[in-house]
Amino acid sequence: RPAMLDRARAAGVGEIIAIGYDLASSRQAAALAAAEAGVFACVAIHPHHAADLTPQVLDELRRLAAAPRVVGIGETGLDFYRNRAPREVQEEAFRLHLRLAASLGLPVVVHDREAHNETLRLLAAEARGIPAVILHCFSGDRAMAVEAASHGYYLGAAGPVTYRSAGGLRAALRAVPRDRLLLETDAPFLPPEPYRGRRNEPAYLPRIAAALAELAGLDPEALAAQTAENTRRAFHRMRGDA
């Protein structure tokens, strides 16, 4: 891990958000954020583990989220591709995470795979009071991107934006206002070209930035500045806000 963080910093990645996907990884992310300069955390139960979201686990997530370097609730959402938890269980867990984020005044990081309509429906019903909604590793089409941006949601561009087969994704992201775009790796998954087949890591972020800059009609430095500003606006605790 120290070598990975050194490679990220050498590549120009100044800040990293480590994302929890179950209680153990949420604790690890929060601990890493407390120990490492430039690292922040989000905490949540991934939809694959939605059945594990007991009242006690929800209380523990609330406790973890009180730490100043925990900047959001995530990743939560819906995954109807693998269906590792029943859909109704995933939807209820998503609602509980959204209500937790609203009660804490924290942004929410949303996982959406093959559940685009259901994700937007639940956000429309439950996202009131949440300061920012981030559709992480966005995989929807252009119509969904436009609708999400119209609600003020942020869309995360990850490694797939560099893939030759991802013309539809690039068209979707091209339709999004620049102030709604975020950069991410989704490490350790979905490495950008030319690193496919390897374990993804934050040092690869400049490859994603270059691809998104081309879509946005910006040079990579301008794109990096814009997405950094967007990230700090979405995750307000990164600015030192309460």
Side-chain angles (χ1 to χ4, degrees), residues 86-105:
R87 294 188 177 193
E88 64 274 14
V89 173
Q90 291 188 46
E91 291 197 11
E92 180 59 17
F94 190 20
R95 287 189 192 94
L96 291 171
H97 279 91
L98 293 172
R99 292 168 189 172
L100 177 64
S103 71
L104 296 172

Side-chain angles (χ1 to χ4, degrees), residues 56-141:
Q56 293 77 19
V57 169
L58 196 64
D59 286 345
E60 175 71 0
L61 292 176
R62 181 181 294 275
R63 187 191 68 78
L64 290 170
R69 295 181 68 81
V70 174
V71 296
I73 300 300
E75 63 183 273
T76 179
L78 303 173
D79 193 311
F80 292 172
Y81 176 71
R82 297 202 182 274
N83 282 310
R84 290 182 177 169
R87 294 188 177 193
E88 64 274 14
V89 173
Q90 291 188 46
E91 291 197 11
E92 180 59 17
F94 190 20
R95 287 189 192 94
L96 291 171
H97 279 91
L98 293 172
R99 292 168 189 172
L100 177 64
S103 71
L104 296 172
L106 288 176
V108 64
V109 179
V110 177
H111 174 100
D112 159 34
R113 192 165 187 196
E114 301 295 334
H116 304 325
N117 292 335
E118 294 85 355
T119 296
L120 290 176
R121 172 177 55 81
L122 284 172
L123 287 171
E126 300 284 354
R128 196 171 306 140
I130 297 176
V133 171
I134 296 93
L135 299 179
H136 116 89
C137 196
F138 182 76
S139 61
D141 60 13

Side-chain angles (χ1 to χ4, degrees), residues 160-170 193 196:
V161 75
T162 69
Y163 300 168
R164 273 187 248 174
S165 60
L169 173 62
R170 285 190 286 274
E193 296 287 4
R196 292 185 77 177

Side-chain angles (χ1 to χ4, degrees), residues 171-194:
L173 293 173
R174 195 178 291 115
V176 175
R178 294 171 184 171
D179 67 353
R180 297 293 110 184
L181 293 171
L182 302 180
L183 288 176
E184 60 170 309
T185 55
D186 196 27
F189 308 109
L190 297 174
E193 296 287 4

Side-chain angles (χ1 to χ4, degrees), residues 219-233:
D219 69 61
E221 289 297 321
L223 186 279
Q226 176 74 71
T227 53
E229 177 186 337
N230 297 348
T231 300
R232 294 188 187 101
R233 187 189 323 116

